[in-house]
Amino acid sequence: MPPSLRQLFAALLLVCPLWAQAQPMRYVYPPPESGSDVRLNYYWELLQAALDETAGKWGPYALQASPKVMNAGRAELLLAASSDISVMARTTSIARENALHPIRIPLDKGLTGYRLFLIKADTQAWTDPVRTLEQLQQLSIGQGATWVDTDILRANGFTVVTAPSYDLLLPMLNSNRFDLFSRGVNEISQELASGSRTYPALAIERKLLLYYPLPRYFFFPRTAEGERLAQRAEEGLRLLMKNGKFEKKYQIFKKSILSGLQLSGRRVFKITNPLLPAQTPLADRDLWDSLETELRAKP
């Protein structure tokens, strides 16, 4: 290379940001567990916004679903091994935070912890008389085998019937393998809309709501690259919180998922979450939504 070109190239390196010389940062997340599974779309859109917010500092990125089919349990193992995926959005637990790097910002402000139930429509009469936690505990609940909820419910005295993957739970409910399918208020409407086409006998239970604190975070591998990916994502999320874009996106999400849900006047049962890490930012009220207005009984 002629000296003049070498000098020009060296000068460009000095003025060009380091990120412009590097490959895009790769954020690969687990694919949906079925063709109708849209439960996590909001979280990946929020991550995209956080990465866009930090483009000036960190540079280009690639955000995409893995082409490999995996259930939630397999995804967690792959993430811990830094294989195939580099990020997931999951509810937290002590074990999960020990194995993976969490960003302790509740992505849906704790909505996942407000639980309604999918039921067979003709079993509404089973829940109408429920007034106490002990009565609710007499009904069996379906959950995923690797879900944190399964351990939380069992620790609180519930009988839980599990399935290895999400797409098996609706047919199990339809076949009366359990009484209630516990879902977050952020999940249940979309799941009923897609599931009722195949299982028209399903419905949302009308009287009850179960609550336990359950933040959903972004998790990354505990590797040097995982820490770097997490640092950028956290910076972006905090920028979104500071400039109001996080709250705006959350309110749009909340309005869309609660539309059509009857929350007012439900009988609320609160239970503990023994799997919640001590570092959970419960004291920061700005990070949580109490749903106080939505749950208040109408006069």
Side-chain angles (χ1 to χ4, degrees):
M1 181 184 297
S4 58
L5 289 180
R6 283 199 300 270
Q7 292 170 352
L8 176 60
F9 184 68
L12 286 173
L13 288 177
L14 289 174
V15 300
C16 186
L18 289 177
W19 57 254
Q21 306 164 33
Q23 294 295 315
M25 299 175 71
R26 291 180 53 78
Y27 292 81
V28 182
Y29 55 88
E33 291 192 41
S34 68
S36 60
D37 183 6
V38 296
R39 293 173 295 161
L40 300 183
N41 286 4
Y42 159 76
Y43 306 102
W44 306 130
E45 291 168 4
L46 186 61
L47 179 57
Q48 181 176 10
L51 299 177
D52 286 341
E53 201 72 22
T54 55
K57 175 180 177 180
W58 290 88
Y61 67 88
L63 175 63
Q64 63 191 62
S66 170
K68 292 191 176 183
V69 177
M70 62 188 76
N71 61 25
R74 179 63 176 165
E76 186 166 354
L77 291 173
L78 290 172
L79 187 64
S82 196
S83 175
D84 295 318
I85 59 172
S86 58
V87 59
M88 70 179 189
R90 291 288 301 275
T91 51
T92 198
S93 70
I94 296 171
R96 189 161 288 153
E97 292 196 18
N98 286 339
L100 300 166
H101 179 104
I103 296 177
R104 294 190 182 94
I105 297 173
L107 302 172
D108 56 20
K109 304 191 84 167
L111 285 188
T112 307
Y114 293 89
R115 315 294 289 184
L116 301 181
F117 303 111
L118 287 176
I119 60 170
K120 297 283 289 293
D122 59 5
T123 65
Q124 178 65 44
W126 298 356
T127 58
D128 284 344
V130 171
R131 294 294 188 277
T132 67
L133 182 62
E134 290 74 19
Q135 290 173 327
L136 182 58
Q137 289 167 336
Q138 301 308 306
L139 301 172
S140 60
I141 298 179
Q143 295 286 267
T146 65
W147 297 356
V148 169
D149 310 83
T150 297
D151 293 331
I152 295 171
L153 291 168
R154 285 175 172 162
N156 281 274
F158 287 91
T159 298
V160 183
V161 179
T162 63
S165 63
Y166 163 78
D167 57 358
L168 294 176
L169 286 160
L170 288 183
M172 289 173 66
L173 174 62
N174 193 64
S175 300
N176 302 308
R177 296 279 300 278
F178 48 80
D179 303 319
L180 312 170
F181 183 15
S182 175
R183 309 305 298 132
V185 295
N186 55 314
E187 304 164 319
I188 198 165
S189 292
Q190 292 176 328
E191 293 180 11
L192 179 62
S194 60
S196 61
R197 292 192 288 268
T198 305
Y199 308 106
L202 301 186
I204 297 174
E205 195 282 330
R206 299 192 298 267
K207 302 292 186 180
L208 311 177
L209 184 144
L210 182 66
Y211 173 75
Y212 43 89
L214 188 65
R216 186 185 300 272
Y217 299 150
F218 288 131
F219 286 90
F220 295 86
R222 286 196 176 277
T223 63
E225 179 61 13
E227 301 288 335
R228 194 170 77 97
L229 295 172
Q231 183 181 351
R232 174 175 181 168
E234 181 168 2
E235 286 184 13
L237 288 172
R238 296 201 180 279
L239 285 172
L240 292 175
M241 293 167 65
K242 185 176 181 180
N243 62 27
K245 293 180 182 178
F246 184 107
E247 185 65 19
K248 182 177 180 180
K249 288 180 178 297
Y250 168 73
Q251 290 298 333
I252 293 172
F253 170 63
K254 175 183 172 181
K255 183 178 180 180
S256 70
I257 61 172
L258 297 188
S259 176
L261 279 182
Q262 181 60 44
L263 298 183
S264 174
R266 284 180 177 265
R267 296 189 286 275
V268 179
F269 299 91
K270 296 183 178 182
I271 60 176
T272 61
N273 179 354
L275 305 184
L276 203 62
Q279 301 92 330
T280 305
L282 293 171
D284 190 344
R285 294 187 178 183
D286 290 340
L287 297 178
W288 305 86
D289 192 333
S290 68
L291 292 187
E292 180 179 358
T293 300
E294 291 81 3
L295 291 172
R296 185 181 301 124
K298 294 179 181 179

